[in-house]
């Protein structure tokens, strides 16, 4: 009966302890000294200006267009059409080490946030102890050697800070913003990886076309040189013409070797991005006419779309973290109160732990009031404010950089169709000129020098056309990337707050 009553008393005591801790937690965080966060204004024009039919068109910010398809809402599988390129991108998202590190940094930041947030709540622990000591007879007051024993079981908290001024809350908020920063950094790495893989794949395709062009040119010129050599043997072709043809042949052979090496390097670069070996069937066989679909970009595209870019969001989370750090620095000027308390039972014997009257408790609150610290607290607050100002500048710089990247991509885009059309016509004209010059040479009307010049012009025009096609495809990818596209196969929702 006595044991049952003792247990009931211990249960009531424990309930009271838990209730007191709950009330203390409720009182915590009564004030927050962090400054109110205000998103800095974007230090860029309200919209991009574009050249349309040779005229400058500038629309008001926020203007809407039925054709305005936001890049960050288009999954990369919807943007990149070639199934081989889709396979390569999918493999890179599974195996790329930079993306893997970015994902692990998220998990690390999540764990760090949980550690920091846990400091806001009391840590309750149960301890049990046993001690025994012997006092020799000559030291004992009774003149007889004695042995003393003590058994104890306690439940309590240690050094729990009452967060009256929000120090722990601000530190938790700063850790949360660091977690969100890593989430956005991972998204940015994801987008960059998709763009880099696509660009590397298209570069490989372009170099393959250049290599094939060099091989075809070398083969054609080799046949022509062989015929000219035979004609030279019978005296119908001059030595000057033969030497010029031989120089052209050797130049084409050097191009074949150069592009062969370049293709091998392109494959190595693509393999590094993918993070695994490449299946041969995934490699391009030439530069496709269209490897991606580019949504219409209206003249009234507002610059506010930049605020959704993950690198800009990451910079803003860093700014919010610095804002919370200011609040934590301000609390150092105010008193801090910590509680250490425990309740339990103690006895000389194990059996006595559950007897009436064996209850024990301790309560040790402490308060710390800063009086003199040689200005270190003020310096810490100034440092936090300066860090915040630095992060504001970095945030504004991130927006300006993003604006410049989009503006550059749009500037290139505005003239690409004209350049492609002009280069295509130039290549066709160069080919016609070469055919006519070759026919005139074979008929003895012109010297081979005219044919050689026409042939080199055609070869250069063909190379330029291939490079320009690569530029056009790469510009599509760049514009898709700088507008925040390529995050996933479907539109993503913002990352949720990690569980504490």
């Amino acid at each position: 009966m006595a044991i049952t009553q003792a247990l009931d008393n211990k249960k009531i005591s424990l309930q009271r302890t838990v209730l007191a801790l709950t009330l203390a937690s409720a009182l915590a965080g009564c004030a927050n000294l962090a400054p109110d966060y205000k998103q800095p204004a974007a230090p860029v024009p309200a919209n991009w200006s574009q050249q349309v039919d040779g005229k400058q068109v500038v629309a008001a910010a926020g203007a809407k267009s039925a054709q305005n398809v936001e890049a960050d809402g288009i999954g990369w599988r919807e943007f990149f059409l070639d199934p081989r390129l889709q396979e390569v991108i999918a493999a890179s998202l599974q195996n790329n080490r930079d993306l893997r590190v970015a994902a692990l940094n998220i998990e690390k930041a999540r764990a760090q946030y949980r550690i920091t947030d846990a400091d806001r709540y009391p840590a309750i622990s149960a301890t049990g102890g046993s001690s025994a000591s012997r006092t020799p007879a000559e030291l004992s007051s009774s003149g007889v050697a004695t042995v003393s024993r003590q058994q104890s079981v306690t439940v309590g908290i240690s050094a729990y800070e009452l967060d009256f001024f929000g120090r722990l809350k601000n530190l938790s908020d700063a850790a949360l913003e660091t977690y969100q920063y890593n989430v956005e950094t991972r998204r940015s790495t994801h987008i960059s990886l998709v763009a880099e893989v696509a660009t590397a794949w298209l570069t490989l395709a372009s170099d393959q076309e250049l290599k094939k062009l060099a091989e075809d040119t070398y083969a054609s010129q080799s046949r022509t040189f062989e015929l000219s050599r035979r004609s030279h043997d019978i005296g119908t072709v001059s030595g000057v013409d033969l030497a010029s043809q031989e120089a052209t042949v050797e130049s084409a052979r050097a191009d074949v070797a150069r592009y062969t090496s370049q293709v091998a390097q392109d494959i190595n670069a693509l393999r590094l991005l993918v993070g695994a070996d490449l299946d041969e069937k995934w490699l391009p066989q030439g530069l496709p006419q269209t490897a991606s679909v580019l949504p219409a970009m209206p003249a009234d595209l507002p610059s506010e779309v930049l605020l959704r870019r993950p690198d800009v969001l990451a910079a803003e989370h860093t700014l919010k973290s610095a804002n919370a750090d200011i609040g934590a620095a301000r609390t150092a000027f105010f008193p801090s109160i910590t509680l250490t308390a425990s309740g339990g039972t103690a006895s000389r014997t194990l059996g006595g732990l559950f007897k009436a009257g064996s209850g024990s408790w301790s309560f040790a609150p402490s308060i710390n009031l800063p009086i003199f610290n040689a200005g270190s607290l003020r310096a810490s607050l100034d440092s936090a404010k300066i860090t915040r100002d630095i992060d504001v500048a970095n945030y504004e710089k991130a927006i300006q950089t993003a604006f410049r990247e989009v503006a550059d991509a749009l500037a290139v885009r505005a003239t690409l169709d004209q350049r492609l059309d002009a280069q295509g016509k130039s290549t066709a004209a160069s080919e016609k000129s070469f055919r006519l010059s070759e026919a005139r040479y074979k008929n003895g009307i012109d010297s081979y020098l005219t044919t050689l010049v026409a042939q080199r012009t055609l070869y250069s025009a063909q190379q330029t056309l291939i490079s320009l096609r690569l530029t056009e495809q790469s510009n599509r990818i760049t514009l898709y990337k700088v507008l925040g596209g390529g995050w996933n196969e479907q539109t993503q929702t913002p990352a949720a707050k990690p569980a504490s």
Side-chain angles (χ1 to χ4, degrees), residues 77-116:
R77 285 190 182 274
E78 300 173 7
F79 182 80
F80 297 105
L81 305 179
D82 194 294
R84 295 167 298 177
L85 177 55
Q86 290 179 351
E87 292 293 336
V88 175
I89 292 175
S92 70
L93 295 177
Q94 290 181 353
N95 301 299
N96 182 268
R97 292 335 187 246
D98 290 336
L99 190 61
R100 187 175 299 176
V101 169
L104 291 174
N105 282 335
I106 291 178
E107 298 304 316
K108 179 180 178 181
R110 187 202 308 270
Q112 189 61 49
Y113 163 72
R114 295 175 63 187
I115 293 173
T116 305

Side-chain angles (χ1 to χ4, degrees), residues 34-355:
D36 293 335
Y37 174 75
K38 294 181 180 179
Q39 186 182 53
V44 294
N47 54 271
W48 290 276
S49 61
Q50 301 182 57
Q51 290 286 343
V52 179
D53 295 332
K55 298 180 180 180
Q56 193 80 0
V57 177
V58 181
K64 302 298 181 182
S65 170
Q67 296 180 341
N68 189 1
V69 181
E70 297 172 352
D72 60 352
I74 302 175
W76 61 264
R77 285 190 182 274
E78 300 173 7
F79 182 80
F80 297 105
L81 305 179
D82 194 294
R84 295 167 298 177
L85 177 55
Q86 290 179 351
E87 292 293 336
V88 175
I89 292 175
S92 70
L93 295 177
Q94 290 181 353
N95 301 299
N96 182 268
R97 292 335 187 246
D98 290 336
L99 190 61
R100 187 175 299 176
V101 169
L104 291 174
N105 282 335
I106 291 178
E107 298 304 316
K108 179 180 178 181
R110 187 202 308 270
Q112 189 61 49
Y113 163 72
R114 295 175 63 187
I115 293 173
T116 305
D117 192 61
D119 290 338
R120 298 173 56 197
Y121 307 98
I124 303 174
S125 60
T127 60
S130 175
S131 64
S133 62
R134 180 181 182 275
T135 302
E138 62 182 35
L139 297 179
S140 174
S141 58
S142 62
V144 179
T146 60
V147 175
S148 61
R149 304 178 186 275
Q150 180 177 342
Q151 320 293 331
S152 64
V153 176
T154 59
V155 176
I157 60 173
S158 176
Y160 168 57
E161 181 178 346
L162 298 180
D163 198 21
F164 287 116
F165 302 103
R167 187 183 76 88
L168 299 178
K169 178 63 168 61
N170 283 314
L171 292 177
S172 175
D173 290 344
L176 177 60
E177 295 301 333
T178 300
Y179 162 76
Q180 296 288 0
Y181 165 83
N182 281 278
V183 170
E184 298 301 336
T185 299
R186 195 260 182 191
R187 288 182 58 199
S188 183
T189 303
H190 183 122
I191 292 172
S192 296
L193 177 62
V194 169
E196 287 179 18
V197 169
T199 301
W201 190 86
L202 289 172
T203 300
L204 171 60
S206 173
D207 287 339
Q208 286 177 330
E209 281 207 3
L210 290 171
K211 176 175 174 287
K212 185 177 184 303
L213 175 62
E215 291 172 342
D216 292 343
T217 302
Y218 173 65
S220 174
Q221 292 178 351
S222 295
R223 290 192 297 268
T224 301
F225 174 72
E226 184 61 26
L227 292 175
S228 297
R229 188 179 63 80
R230 294 176 182 175
S231 299
H232 175 266
D233 291 341
I234 61 177
T236 58
V237 173
S238 67
V240 174
D241 287 346
L242 184 65
S244 297
Q245 291 185 33
E246 184 178 8
T248 303
V249 169
E250 294 304 321
S251 177
R253 187 163 72 94
D255 283 348
V256 171
R258 176 163 62 93
Y259 288 122
T260 299
S261 174
Q262 188 61 50
V263 166
Q265 292 179 24
D266 292 341
I267 293 176
N268 291 336
L270 191 58
R271 184 180 289 114
L272 177 62
L273 288 172
V274 172
D277 202 6
L278 293 171
D279 194 322
E280 290 291 333
K281 64 183 180 182
W282 295 349
L283 299 180
Q285 300 304 315
L287 191 62
Q289 291 296 326
T290 303
S292 60
V293 56
L294 185 66
M297 296 297 169
D300 61 353
L301 186 65
S303 60
E304 64 187 18
V305 300
L306 297 176
L307 300 182
R308 297 196 299 268
R309 273 185 34 158
D311 57 334
V312 175
L313 290 174
E316 186 175 12
H317 284 303
T318 300
L319 174 57
K320 290 180 179 179
S321 177
N323 205 63
D325 285 336
I326 292 177
R330 284 175 173 174
T331 61
F333 291 89
F334 295 86
S336 61
I337 299 175
T338 57
L339 301 179
T340 297
S342 65
T345 179
S347 176
R348 292 183 178 181
T349 62
L350 287 175
L353 289 176
F354 302 101
K355 291 182 178 179

Side-chain angles (χ1 to χ4, degrees), residues 17-45:
T17 301
V18 173
L19 178 60
L21 295 176
T22 302
L23 291 174
S25 299
L27 289 173
C30 292
N32 193 330
L33 301 181
D36 293 335
Y37 174 75
K38 294 181 180 179
Q39 186 182 53
V44 294

